Amino acid sequence: MWRLIDLAGRNQAMLSPSGERGIASEFAAIQQAAGHIEVAPGVELARVLWTHGSAFRHRRVYAGIRALASRWPRGHAPQGFLLLFANGIEGNVIHAAGCDPIEVATRIQHPSIHGTPVAGPYLALIVIGELPQVKGYAPLRAYAQPIYSGQRFIPVDSDFERTVLRDLLRIQHRLDGHHYDSAITKPLFDIQTPAGNCRPDFIIETCSRETGENRIAIVEAMGFDTDAYHDAKAITHPRMEKIAPVIDINDTDLRDGALQARLLDLITSA
């Protein structure tokens, strides 16, 4: 799923003169990117990907897989994929938009913190394949990725990270008022640096419309206060500093408006 989101550019946010993003445009971008991924030799993901709950409710997913099954590459099991916006997950059940709850054969995989699932909304990827018990096709397994919202499919790793991203999106408008274009990226894969690999929470890149100067900053959402957490960050933050200055923000900083103040100071200072 991360590769698909990355290819579609849905892990990025930029101010668009054409208006805000919406759920239709998010899925359209993902569907287009799916044409560049193969799920079996010669079979593009776009041919076996459905993004509407109605396709499952009306069994069009099963009909589509059956229609392709006879031409499926030898040695590969025919399968299809549902990618749905979901408000909730519960055990092996996904509560997705546009259809009744979907029961999956196995427990749904999802990020959790100390055993507690990160709250939704989610982008849920469901694998449809042959299930001997039902003598046909059925949802086999699923992964539910927490995202910012139905209008922006930007992945988040925690509720706090979602809150930090909300502030970053507001700050984009402030930067625009200061004549800066900006792009926020949520890295989904490790970045190599001379000091080792790291994966920042957010990277914000700016360009002054007046001078053409480019600047970059990393924002780290410090959502925990444990020794193990701080020890891990003590290793990765110096690596991130090889990419750009790091602004680490905790809950108190966020409430006090420190993220906006520190980021604007870093970007707009001479």
Side-chain angles (χ1 to χ4, degrees):
M1 182 192 290
W2 286 358
R3 183 185 173 201
L4 184 58
I5 292 173
D6 191 58
L7 278 176
R10 298 304 90 188
N11 59 324
Q12 298 178 330
M14 291 170 282
L15 292 183
S16 171
S18 61
E20 289 297 317
R21 284 156 53 168
I23 193 167
S25 63
E26 296 296 275
F27 275 126
I30 285 177
Q31 192 74 46
Q32 183 176 10
H36 301 283
I37 297 175
E38 287 192 347
V39 295
V43 182
E44 296 85 9
L45 174 59
R47 297 172 63 190
V48 289
L49 178 68
W50 290 265
T51 58
H52 294 280
S54 60
F56 181 78
R57 185 175 70 245
H58 297 301
R59 307 182 72 82
R60 291 196 301 272
V61 175
Y62 299 145
I65 299 172
R66 290 191 187 97
L68 289 171
S70 62
R71 303 191 300 276
W72 208 265
R74 183 175 298 178
H76 296 266
Q79 59 183 344
F81 301 86
L82 271 170
L83 187 68
L84 303 176
F85 175 76
N87 285 312
I89 55 174
E90 187 178 3
N92 67 327
V93 176
I94 294 175
H95 299 276
C99 63
D100 294 332
I102 298 175
E103 186 173 345
V104 182
T106 56
R107 190 172 183 85
I108 298 159
Q109 299 297 307
H110 53 80
S112 62
I113 299 172
H114 305 307
T116 302
V118 177
Y122 306 93
L123 197 59
L125 182 64
I126 306 168
V127 180
I128 309 292
E130 290 184 289
L131 188 64
Q133 296 93 311
V134 300
K135 298 181 180 179
Y137 295 105
L140 300 181
R141 56 189 180 275
Y143 176 77
Q145 171 63 53
I147 56 174
Y148 176 70
S149 72
Q151 284 69 48
R152 293 182 184 271
F153 288 176
I154 301 173
V156 294
D157 298 328
S158 66
D159 296 337
F160 181 62
E161 198 171 279
R162 187 181 282 123
T163 304
V164 170
L165 178 54
R166 184 176 298 116
D167 266 31
L168 284 174
L169 293 171
R170 291 170 181 161
I171 292 169
Q172 269 195 314
H173 290 277
R174 291 294 304 274
L175 286 167
D176 184 58
H178 285 278
H179 310 291
Y180 285 87
D181 294 325
S182 62
I184 300 166
T185 300
K186 166 66 177 175
L188 301 180
F189 304 100
D190 286 351
I191 299 172
Q192 291 184 335
T193 78
N197 291 354
C198 63
R199 192 181 307 178
D201 290 335
F202 299 104
I203 298 174
I204 181 163
E205 300 172 82
T206 64
C207 178
S208 170
R209 294 195 293 269
E210 294 180 338
T211 67
E213 182 183 12
N214 295 300
R215 293 198 178 183
I216 183 172
I218 286 172
V219 174
E220 280 281 279
M222 304 291 286
F224 302 96
D225 190 18
T226 66
D227 290 342
Y229 182 76
H230 288 290
D231 288 346
K233 292 297 185 181
I235 295 172
T236 57
H237 280 184
R239 298 175 182 178
M240 295 177 195
E241 291 281 0
K242 300 292 185 181
I243 303 170
V246 175
I247 298 174
D248 56 325
I249 293 293
N250 60 34
D251 186 53
T252 301
D253 294 331
L254 204 62
R255 289 197 305 269
D256 292 343
L259 175 56
Q260 177 171 291
R262 292 170 63 186
L263 191 54
L264 288 177
D265 181 65
L266 177 64
I267 298 299
T268 63
S269 61

